[in-house]
Amino acid sequence: MIYLRSTLFTLFLLIFTPIWSVLCMLAFPFLTPENRYSFIGLWNKVVIWLLRHLCGIRYEIRGMKHMHAVLDQPVIILSKHQSAYETIAYIALLPKQLCFVFKRELLWIPFFGWALALLKMIHINRANKQTAALSVASQGRKRLSEGKWIMLFPEGTRTPRGSTKPYRKGGARLASATGALVIPIAHNAGNFWPKNSFLKQPGTVIFSIGPAILSEGKSGEDLQQEVEGWIESEMRVIDPGAYK
């Protein structure tokens, strides 16, 4: 049954994504940047709905009050990265327009990448670390000034359940340089949609949103260690079985 449900979900994406991407490209010239984000975000909401009702992947959000408390302030979100699920869910579920930092290769994906290119996101060349850092710094400042929140995955790539990669300091350094608050997020989405997995396992994804962390007076290195400590500690709370 899981194989059948996962197959139906994949077939839906293969049909729905090109159609929605074409609609986005046709509509975007007539929409403001804010409305473009909302329009394309309907795809995310449909996909999350389908994952719930077809594949049995539900979600629970803990700590949303921490975001509502700082809606009018500049924020950089640093999140655990295990799955494709969270990258889809954040646009659908979080209360603020997000600006993702992602590798430029995603723009080359037919239809999905073309629609993504129409949004004001920060895409970087990971092969050139110096250029990537400059892009995050310059574009990040601009997006924060526009009232958007910056979303980064400091591990850089999806990690298997129960593991971690060294956290990169780019997001923490940007927060330190701009005085933006940092909100950490831990989650266990890798339990249900692991990296490179075709099968979608039923269950409940827990998103745990931490209190906003002040960046003022902290170096990027100190801030990164504080964020990493919170996320990795929280992972052992929401998914203890993965760390036995």
Side-chain angles (χ1 to χ4, degrees), residues 186-220:
H187 65 82
N188 63 344
N191 290 3
F192 313 105
W193 187 352
K195 179 180 180 179
N196 299 327
S197 175
F198 173 76
L199 298 179
K200 314 298 184 290
Q201 304 291 339
T204 300
V205 176
I206 298 174
F207 292 101
S208 182
I209 302 172
I213 299 173
L214 295 174
S215 63
E216 186 177 357
K218 299 175 183 176
S219 68

Side-chain angles (χ1 to χ4, degrees), residues 46-57:
V46 169
V47 173
I48 293 299
W49 182 90
L50 191 67
L51 284 166
R52 175 186 177 92
H53 293 279
L54 179 60
C55 300
I57 301 180

Side-chain angles (χ1 to χ4, degrees), residues 98-120:
L98 304 177
C99 176
F100 281 79
V101 178
F102 59 86
K103 59 184 180 180
R104 64 178 182 177
E105 286 81 2
L106 292 181
L107 299 176
W108 305 340
I109 300 174
F111 297 107
F112 174 83
W114 304 342
L116 190 61
L118 298 172
L119 297 175
K120 287 187 175 181

